[in-house]
Amino acid sequence: MLEIERRLEAERLAALENLEKVQDQAQLDQWKQNHLGKTSVTMSAFGQVVTVPNEERPAFGKAVNAAKVVLETALAGKLALIKQKELEARMSQGTIDVTLPGRGLRRGRIHPLNLTAQEIYRVVGQMGFQIYQSPEVETDDFNFTFLNIPPHHPARDMWDTFYTDKDNIVLRTHTSPGQIHAMREYCPQPIRVILPGACFRYEQQDQSHEIEFMQVELLAVDKGITFADLKGTLQDFARRMFGEQTQIRLRPSYFPFTEPSAELDVECFVCGGKGCGVCHGGGWLEWGGCGMVHPRVLEYGGYDPEIFTGFAAGMGVDRATLLRYQVDDIRYFRNNDIRFLEQF
Ligand code: PHE
């Protein structure tokens, strides 16, 4: 055995013996400096590896390493012991007041827009429509062209949106592009879907206009669907949503992607049609747009318009929520003020 190996062995025994006497963290730190610090016997032995004759070098290296590991392991064990003792001491001093009430978890709640949307899903679900999710970021084709609004068409002004630097990528202005996605996925089967989600428009924001809002859109495609089906479905939907007696009204209108097209009004559910502040005395509330799916749109979706027909209707969830909860400013919905959201 080399002289240095003998010294390592003696150091190991001395170090472990000293460790027995260590009582607290400060003493442990001192011990670490003495026995595992740069100038300690063990650590400085690493520097002496080069002085050992070649043939003994590997064995020596191993021995130094092993000595270091033994000390480190002992250190870790002692540290755990000290921590445990500290904890026990603190607990036995009784500084924890077990009678203090716990910290309550704040309950989250469902956003008012989603409350309305969930009610809509429940109602149309009973009527046989399934939810179909489609992208909020769209291509120009899906938001416009496939909905029979070609690039030159002035109707694009009605759905002015946010354009991106990427060619043809836009934020959708309505849920109608989802019609094309659903048709392309299901063609040639019949379709009954509800398309929900966020839409975006280039708008001047005020009490009743937001650059982001939520829509739901109904789409039915099948053989032999008529305008009577559209009207009957919307009437049924309104009654299930707002009450048995609720009336709807369809006013002729124009949308490039439906023909014929109509505006959908619902009898004011605040005054029951008598006229009040909410419906500005008229007794009717504007609720959305609807119509028979344009033959060209059916074609873009893959359906033969000679065989299939369909109807579509799009409704604003924000508007409905404003009315439902008598909220007077649409901007409350998205500015994340907890004082507002907590009321639902
Ligand atoms: N997409 C239209 C809008 O946002 C609403 C609509 C949907 C009209 C479906 C007709 C049919 O204004």
Side-chain angles (χ1 to χ4, degrees):
M1 210 194 247
L2 291 167
E3 161 63 16
I4 179 132
E5 287 179 33
R6 233 171 272 132
R7 274 183 53 208
L8 268 178
E9 176 62 12
E11 156 66 6
R12 190 172 66 87
L13 291 175
L16 292 179
E17 204 181 307
N18 285 343
L19 191 61
E20 291 286 302
K21 294 176 211 145
V22 167
Q23 297 286 351
D24 56 26
Q25 184 71 53
Q27 290 173 5
L28 190 65
D29 291 342
Q30 186 59 51
W31 181 91
K32 188 176 174 188
Q33 206 188 333
N34 292 346
H35 299 288
L36 279 165
K38 268 200 191 112
T39 56
S40 66
V41 177
T42 310
M43 297 313 275
S44 53
F46 279 98
Q48 296 173 31
V49 175
V50 284
T51 66
V52 174
N54 261 346
E55 60 279 11
E56 290 177 32
R57 211 174 276 170
F60 176 76
K62 242 191 206 164
V64 180
N65 237 333
K68 177 177 156 239
V69 170
V70 166
L71 295 187
E72 281 174 348
T73 311
L75 170 74
K78 190 72 178 189
L79 182 65
L81 215 68
I82 287 173
K83 287 258 144 48
Q84 175 68 24
K85 270 212 308 221
E86 275 176 8
L87 182 67
E88 274 163 18
R90 245 186 299 143
M91 290 192 14
S92 67
Q93 279 163 20
T95 48
I96 298 172
D97 182 354
V98 292
T99 65
L100 278 178
R103 289 191 197 111
L105 278 184
R106 267 173 94 122
R107 274 251 201 133
R109 55 189 79 216
I110 297 172
H111 193 279
L113 290 175
N114 284 327
L115 287 174
T116 305
Q118 284 176 355
E119 176 67 6
I120 294 173
Y121 304 152
R122 190 181 65 76
V123 165
V124 299
Q126 290 170 345
M127 296 166 65
F129 289 80
Q130 75 185 79
I131 298 175
Y132 187 92
Q133 294 273 7
S134 75
E136 292 168 2
V137 179
E138 275 291 4
T139 63
D140 180 284
D141 282 343
F142 275 86
N143 199 65
F144 297 116
T145 309
F146 298 156
L147 294 172
N148 198 30
I149 318 174
H152 61 267
H153 203 287
R156 285 199 171 206
D157 280 355
M158 291 162 67
W159 289 277
D160 200 8
T161 186
F162 298 96
Y163 296 83
T164 68
D165 307 346
K166 284 227 170 61
D167 239 10
N168 285 323
I169 303 289
V170 302
L171 299 189
R172 70 172 176 190
T173 44
H174 43 180
T175 41
S176 302
Q179 293 186 28
I180 304 291
H181 289 289
M183 285 194 248
R184 290 189 174 179
E185 180 166 340
Y186 290 119
C187 182
Q189 297 163 57
I191 296 177
R192 308 275 188 282
V193 289
I194 175 166
L195 309 156
C199 302
F200 308 85
R201 278 187 203 178
Y202 184 66
E203 295 258 24
Q204 184 73 46
Q205 285 166 286
D206 64 25
Q207 266 189 315
S208 50
H209 292 88
E210 256 286 18
I211 56 168
E212 182 191 335
F213 55 96
M214 190 178 184
Q215 274 193 345
V216 289
E217 178 137 346
L218 292 176
L219 172 70
V221 177
D222 208 337
K223 289 172 189 159
I225 289 193
T226 69
F227 199 90
D229 295 314
L230 169 62
K231 187 166 184 192
T233 302
L234 291 176
Q235 176 69 77
D236 191 23
F237 173 52
R239 288 197 174 146
R240 288 172 191 249
M241 249 336 259
F242 307 119
E244 259 317 297
Q245 303 306 316
T246 312
Q247 298 290 321
I248 62 160
R249 178 173 77 174
L250 296 179
R251 278 178 293 125
S253 185
Y254 168 73
F255 297 104
F257 34 92
T258 45
E259 181 60 35
S261 305
E263 300 286 341
L264 164 65
D265 296 340
V266 182
E267 194 182 61
C268 179
F269 45 79
V270 177
C271 63
K274 286 192 221 52
C276 67
V278 172
C279 57
H280 303 299
W284 295 95
L285 297 169
E286 267 190 44
W287 172 227
C290 62
M292 300 303 290
V293 181
H294 195 286
R296 210 165 283 151
V297 174
L298 282 170
E299 265 171 6
Y300 277 122
Y303 288 85
D304 181 349
E306 294 294 327
I307 302 172
F308 287 89
T309 50
F311 68 70
M315 291 149 276
V317 176
D318 297 61
R319 235 353 109 76
T321 309
L322 285 178
L323 297 168
R324 211 164 157 227
Y325 298 110
Q326 322 243 322
V327 175
D328 56 17
D329 195 320
I330 200 169
R331 290 167 294 192
Y332 284 129
F333 290 143
R334 287 176 186 78
N335 65 11
N336 258 345
D337 187 333
I338 202 87
R339 291 167 304 177
F340 171 74
L341 296 172
E342 264 176 352
Q343 297 174 42
F344 298 90

